[in-house]
């Protein structure tokens, strides 16, 4: 199942695909998705020679499956952050994501990139009394943090809405066209998987490269230790349909439902993206989430014609804040960008800005909220215990096949014809080919 971005973007052809690898680099970025390419781009703007290594091709990982909303409105997050990590840290989070939107606009304008970048509002909406109360609590928190929000009671959606929280001046774009425009202008080595990193040495299928700094931008970091990211994250899948709509049905904003089974809406040209059905990877695999979305699409847009259907996979941290910064206290020259939740576009740019500042020695206090070494027991304890219980259960469950990451029992996903790991989110095709990390190898047999 391909996203509309994959179908519409021109194939990226790098000049460095077959050239000999460099022996040494200043900064090696592992992963050529949105986070990796942006990290390399901002570092090169700052005078650091950054090189990107990609196991497959540019944008072939999770970036191609995004709904491409560039927004600081990440569901009902700010009221929760104020309670769990404090107003100061919540403010850092809000300002970083707002700055990420402006940075996208700057790069697009300065480099003349044609990717449909457009400013528009984002909305959280509800059709329940409980939801209205939750929106009001969120509004109070967001106003205190200085974001331009307002409550509205009518929208352009084809679903009943009692209230919606509007955040002005957000953005959307076509992600792969943006990504390829940047990648064409810097050294990217495709089909060059990094198997392991030993200190400053990257071992690839084409030889060893020495780097002064290393950035892991591989969606889910593949080294288990140090860092122990596998114990601090799980992965979730969510589902998207694309179909053509009339001119009158084109939306002028982006929408995210906060109610149970709430839907996500955004337009791109005359195409509507309808999203929903989020669940932990490896769970609910007997349910066809696409069928549920198709039911909603037919109910809301009778006679619709589907043009694409795909699923996104997202890394979820314990406290809902990405891990951006030094990989661990034991690896001072390793950096990581992961755990963006369902908001990978602003998360990727935030990571690029933060890591640029850390590597170049700029002021870094404003990025402390994202530190991978942070301790937020109030927010993280329950999710940590839950993740541990899921992992233990599936490690002890007999039978096979088993995940090549840490050996958890896989679950067959009938709707997507894949083998999914409930522990840490690795996925394999029906035949056993690796689809999603943290595993690095496919199944020997199914």
């Amino acid at each position: 199942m391909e996203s509309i971005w994959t179908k519409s973007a021109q194939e990226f052809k790098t000049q460095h695909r077959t050239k000999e690898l460099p022996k040494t680099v200043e900064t090696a970025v592992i992963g050529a998705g949105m986070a990796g390419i942006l990290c390399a781009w901002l570092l090169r703007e700052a005078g650091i020679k950054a090189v990107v290594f990609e196991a497959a091709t540019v944008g072939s990982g999770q970036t191609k499956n995004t709904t491409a909303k560039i927004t600081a409105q990440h569901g009902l997050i700010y009221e929760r952050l104020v309670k769990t990590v404090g107003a100061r840290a919540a403010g850092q989070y809000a300002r970083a994501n707002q700055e990420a939107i402006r940075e996208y606009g700057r790069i697009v304008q300065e480099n003349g990139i044609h990717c449909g970048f457009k400013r528009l509002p984002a909305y959280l909406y509800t059709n329940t009394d409980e939801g209205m109360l939750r929106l009001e609590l969120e509004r109070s928190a967001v106003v205190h943090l200085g974001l331009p929000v307002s409550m509205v009671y009518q929208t352009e959606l084809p679903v009943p809405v009692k209230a919606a929280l509007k955040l002005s001046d957000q953005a959307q774009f076509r992600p792969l066209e943006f990504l390829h425009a940047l990648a064409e202008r810097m050294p990217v080595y495709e089909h060059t998987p990094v198997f392991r990193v030993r200190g400053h040495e990257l071992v690839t299928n084409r030889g060893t490269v020495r780097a002064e700094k290393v950035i892991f931008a591989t969606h889910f970091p593949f080294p288990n230790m140090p860092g122990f990211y596998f114990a601090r994250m799980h992965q979730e899948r969510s589902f998207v349909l694309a179909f053509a709509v009339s001119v009158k049905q084109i939306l002028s904003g982006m929408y995210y439902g906060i109610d149970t089974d709430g839907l996500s809406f955004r337009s791109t040209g005359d195409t509507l993206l309808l999203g929903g059905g989020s669940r932990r990877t490896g769970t609910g695999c007997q349910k066809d989430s696409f069928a549920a979305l198709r039911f909603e699409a037919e109910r809301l847009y009778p006679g619709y014609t589907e043009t694409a259907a795909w699923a996104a996979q997202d890394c979820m941290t314990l406290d809902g804040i990405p891990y951006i910064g030094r990989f661990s206290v034991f690896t001072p020259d390793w950096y990581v960008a992961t755990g963006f939740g369902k908001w990978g576009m602003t998360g990727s740019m935030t990571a690029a800005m933060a890591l640029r500042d850390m590597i170049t020695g700029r002021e870094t206090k404003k990025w402390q909220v994202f530190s991978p070494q942070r301790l937020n027991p109030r927010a993280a304890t329950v999710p940590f215990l839950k993740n541990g219980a899921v992992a233990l259960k599936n490690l002890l469950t007999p039978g096979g096949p088993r995940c090549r990451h840490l050996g958890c029992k896989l679950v067959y996903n009938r709707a997507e014809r894949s083998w999914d790991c409930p522990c840490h989110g690795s996925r394999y095709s029906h035949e056993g080919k690796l689809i999603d990390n943290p595993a690095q190898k496919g199944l020997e047999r199914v």
Side-chain angles (χ1 to χ4, degrees):
M1 297 181 178
E2 289 188 337
S3 71
I4 58 170
W5 319 123
T6 303
K7 292 182 176 182
S8 63
Q10 295 180 351
E11 183 181 0
F12 171 71
K13 296 180 180 179
T14 172
Q15 301 176 12
H16 305 273
R17 182 179 298 176
T18 58
K19 285 189 176 181
E20 184 179 354
L21 293 184
K23 293 183 179 179
T24 61
V25 298
E26 282 190 66
T27 298
V29 181
I30 308 173
M34 190 63 73
I37 292 297
L38 285 175
C39 284
W41 181 267
L42 293 191
L43 283 171
R44 292 179 72 84
E45 282 189 336
I48 302 294
K49 295 179 180 179
V51 174
V52 183
F53 299 93
E54 167 58 41
T57 58
V58 170
S60 61
Q62 297 305 322
T63 298
K64 70 181 185 301
N65 296 324
T66 177
T67 54
K69 297 176 180 178
I70 311 174
T71 176
Q73 190 186 66
H74 299 169
L76 296 174
I77 188 172
Y78 293 107
E79 193 259 344
R80 173 171 58 81
L81 288 183
V82 169
K83 284 184 176 180
T84 57
V85 300
R88 179 181 177 184
Q92 288 181 340
Y93 185 98
R95 288 188 294 273
N97 283 279
Q98 284 288 82
E99 186 178 346
I101 302 169
R102 293 191 293 270
E103 191 73 348
Y104 272 112
R106 176 190 71 82
I107 293 174
V108 168
Q109 183 177 19
E110 290 182 0
N111 296 279
I113 300 174
H114 300 287
C115 60
F117 181 84
K118 180 182 180 181
R119 290 280 196 163
L120 73 178
Y123 299 83
L124 299 177
Y125 72 91
T126 183
N127 191 39
T128 68
D129 292 336
E130 179 186 357
M132 291 182 68
L133 176 60
R134 296 167 71 195
L135 282 184
E136 182 56 40
L137 293 173
E138 182 73 2
R139 187 199 67 80
S140 298
V142 173
V143 167
H144 180 73
L145 298 176
L147 297 186
V149 294
S150 59
M151 197 75 82
V152 299
Y153 300 95
Q154 291 184 336
T155 72
E156 56 193 326
L157 292 179
V159 296
V161 172
K162 284 193 172 183
L165 187 61
K166 176 183 177 182
L167 179 58
S168 301
D169 211 23
Q170 307 302 285
Q172 64 183 34
F173 68 158
R174 298 187 295 272
L176 292 191
E177 293 173 36
F178 173 86
L179 190 70
H180 291 172
L182 297 188
E184 287 170 353
R185 309 179 195 194
M186 61 177 138
V188 179
Y189 293 86
E190 295 182 311
H191 303 292
T192 309
V194 177
F195 298 127
R196 57 186 177 276
V197 182
R198 301 180 301 211
H200 293 269
E201 288 187 342
L202 285 71
V203 179
T204 79
N205 64 330
R206 298 169 56 195
T208 300
V209 177
R210 185 171 181 81
E212 294 178 19
K213 308 286 185 182
V214 181
I215 295 176
F216 292 85
T218 55
H219 185 63
F220 199 119
F222 59 83
N224 287 328
M225 296 178 289
F228 295 92
Y229 290 94
F230 67 90
R232 297 195 280 152
M233 291 195 298
H234 72 276
Q235 298 198 63
E236 292 187 2
R237 294 187 69 69
S238 52
F239 304 85
V240 186
L241 297 183
F243 48 91
V245 292
S246 67
V247 173
K248 292 182 179 180
Q249 294 170 319
I250 295 174
L251 301 177
S252 59
M254 304 175 293
Y255 294 84
Y256 183 85
I258 66 167
D259 300 334
T260 302
D261 298 326
L263 299 172
S264 165
F265 298 80
R266 71 151 284 195
S267 292
T268 174
D270 63 354
T271 297
L272 184 82
L273 305 186
L274 179 68
S278 178
R279 58 174 174 76
R280 184 181 180 122
T281 303
T283 65
C285 289
Q286 302 303 314
K287 177 183 177 182
D288 187 344
S289 296
F290 288 110
L293 266 185
R294 288 173 179 130
F295 175 84
E296 291 297 330
E298 181 62 35
R299 182 175 69 87
L300 300 173
Y301 301 91
Y304 82 102
T305 301
E306 183 178 307
T307 55
W310 70 94
Q313 180 145 309
D314 301 292
C315 290
M316 316 298 290
T317 65
L318 297 175
D319 57 10
I321 303 171
Y323 298 129
I324 302 170
R326 282 196 164 84
F327 196 93
S328 80
V329 295
F330 303 106
T331 52
D333 294 321
W334 290 9
Y335 298 84
V336 68
T338 189
F340 302 144
K342 303 182 187 304
W343 311 102
M345 296 301 97
T346 43
S348 293
M349 183 65 82
T350 297
M353 295 186 297
L355 296 183
R356 173 203 59 198
D357 288 358
M358 294 176 194
I359 290 174
T360 59
R362 300 183 185 183
E363 194 275 324
T364 59
K365 289 184 179 180
K366 66 180 181 178
W367 309 115
Q368 288 178 345
V369 63
F370 303 103
S371 171
Q373 285 74 56
R374 66 182 180 267
L375 292 175
N376 293 330
R378 185 174 181 180
T381 300
V382 172
F384 176 79
L385 294 174
K386 181 178 179 180
N387 285 347
V390 171
L392 183 62
K393 175 184 175 182
N394 287 278
L395 281 168
L396 297 178
T397 300
R402 318 293 298 193
C403 182
R404 297 295 298 276
H405 176 226
L406 290 178
C408 290
K409 188 178 186 304
L410 299 175
V411 177
Y412 190 64
N413 180 342
R414 295 186 181 277
E416 299 181 78
R417 287 177 54 80
S418 62
W419 294 95
D420 299 357
C421 178
C423 297
H424 310 110
S426 298
R427 297 180 63 245
Y428 307 84
S429 70
H430 178 75
E431 297 78 18
K433 181 180 178 181
L434 181 65
I435 300 175
D436 291 316
N437 59 349
Q440 291 184 278
K441 297 180 180 179
L443 302 177
E444 293 181 352
R445 64 178 182 176
V446 177

